[in-house]
Amino acid sequence: MKRVGNIYERIISRENCQAAVIEESRTNRLTRSGRGQELRDNLEAWTSRVQARMSTLPFVPQPTHKFSIMEGGKLRHIEMSSLFDSVCIRAMVRVVEPIIYARMSPHSYCPIKGRGPLKLARHIHKALRKMDYDNRKWMELHPKQKRYVWVLKTDVRKFFPSIGYPIAIEALRRWIKDERVIAMCGSLLKLSGGIPIGAAYSAMVANAVHLE
């Protein structure tokens, strides 16, 4: 597929910025704190602020809030952007993410909207049922021989933190031609020293690297 250019205008469009404000207001982070309603009550003002910020280049992110949590027996280091930056990042992700994900295998599931672990489980169950049927047919023809289904489970240790700035930017440039988008992603990655855990753009960039 060809690289996609001239998309920054779509990112800073009022329609997209407003949708980003609404989406951010519905995140767990803001729902728990009660600030989500505040954003929706001041939707027009927030939209104008985000659009103005995104239109002023270069995009310079504010320092992130860093903390650690235990999850699944693992210590995870999380980075959280300011609320204003989070909305701006979401506006960018709304446009760039579909471009990246359209190039991914239909059997890539996590963390992709509309797929996820439930859809993955359904696909696995369907594949196993087909294998079971095929095996039974094969055993009828070869009763003295056994066939086995092998499943390989792997994990990449500290995948997000292991991806440095140069690798991430190179992966994004393979699909995105608009240098304004690359510059914005680059400023975010430089701030964190790589792909952080917890940012709205993290999965998008990691999947771009995965495509490589």
Side-chain angles (χ1 to χ4, degrees):
M1 290 186 179
K2 293 183 178 179
R3 294 196 302 157
V4 180
N6 299 319
I7 58 175
Y8 202 74
E9 284 73 21
R10 288 164 53 192
I11 293 173
I12 64 174
S13 69
R14 189 166 187 83
E15 179 184 7
N16 186 61
C17 290
Q18 187 175 86
V21 174
I22 295 172
E23 283 187 13
E24 186 66 26
S25 75
R26 291 172 177 163
T27 59
N28 290 336
R29 169 189 173 187
L30 296 192
T31 300
R32 286 194 298 264
S33 68
R35 295 201 65 187
Q37 190 60 50
E38 176 190 329
L39 263 67
R40 292 190 292 274
D41 290 342
N42 299 279
L43 182 58
E44 292 302 320
W46 266 93
T47 301
S48 296
R49 285 182 62 200
V50 171
Q51 190 174 30
R53 170 79 181 281
M54 298 285 285
S55 300
T56 305
L57 299 176
F59 179 84
V60 181
Q62 300 170 1
T64 57
H65 171 56
K66 300 180 181 181
F67 58 97
S68 300
I69 62 170
M70 286 297 296
E71 185 179 73
K74 297 180 181 179
L75 181 64
R76 298 190 182 276
H77 303 290
I78 310 297
E79 290 193 34
M80 186 177 294
S81 299
S82 69
L83 177 55
F84 194 29
D85 278 1
S86 292
V87 180
C88 293
I89 292 168
R90 194 166 294 278
M92 180 268 292
V93 170
R94 279 179 48 81
V95 175
V96 178
E97 192 175 66
I99 295 171
I100 301 296
Y101 288 177
R103 287 150 175 78
M104 297 193 69
S105 162
H107 298 306
S108 293
Y109 292 93
C110 255
I112 300 177
K113 292 177 183 177
R115 300 186 190 181
L118 182 59
K119 190 170 183 179
L120 170 60
R122 288 172 179 164
H123 172 72
I124 291 173
H125 289 160
K126 182 178 179 180
L128 288 174
R129 285 196 299 269
K130 184 179 185 304
M131 282 188 237
D132 182 58
Y133 175 81
D134 291 344
N135 278 346
R136 281 188 278 111
K137 289 294 184 183
W138 191 88
M139 290 290 289
E140 289 175 5
L141 297 174
H142 308 84
K144 294 184 179 181
Q145 299 181 36
K146 293 183 178 180
R147 292 183 75 185
Y148 298 92
V149 175
W150 296 94
V151 177
L152 175 64
K153 180 181 179 181
T154 63
D155 193 9
V156 180
R157 184 175 181 270
K158 295 184 177 180
F159 179 51
F160 279 23
S162 70
I163 301 172
Y165 169 84
I167 293 174
I169 288 299
E170 182 181 349
L172 287 169
R173 275 208 172 99
R174 183 172 177 82
W175 308 112
I176 305 299
K177 189 161 54 175
D178 196 319
E179 284 298 321
R180 294 166 294 181
V181 176
I182 299 298
M184 180 177 179
C185 291
S187 65
L188 294 168
L189 291 165
K190 282 182 178 178
L191 179 65
S192 300
I195 302 179
I197 297 174
Y201 69 93
S202 297
M204 177 191 78
V205 178
N207 277 319
V209 174
H210 177 68
L211 275 173
E212 292 290 289

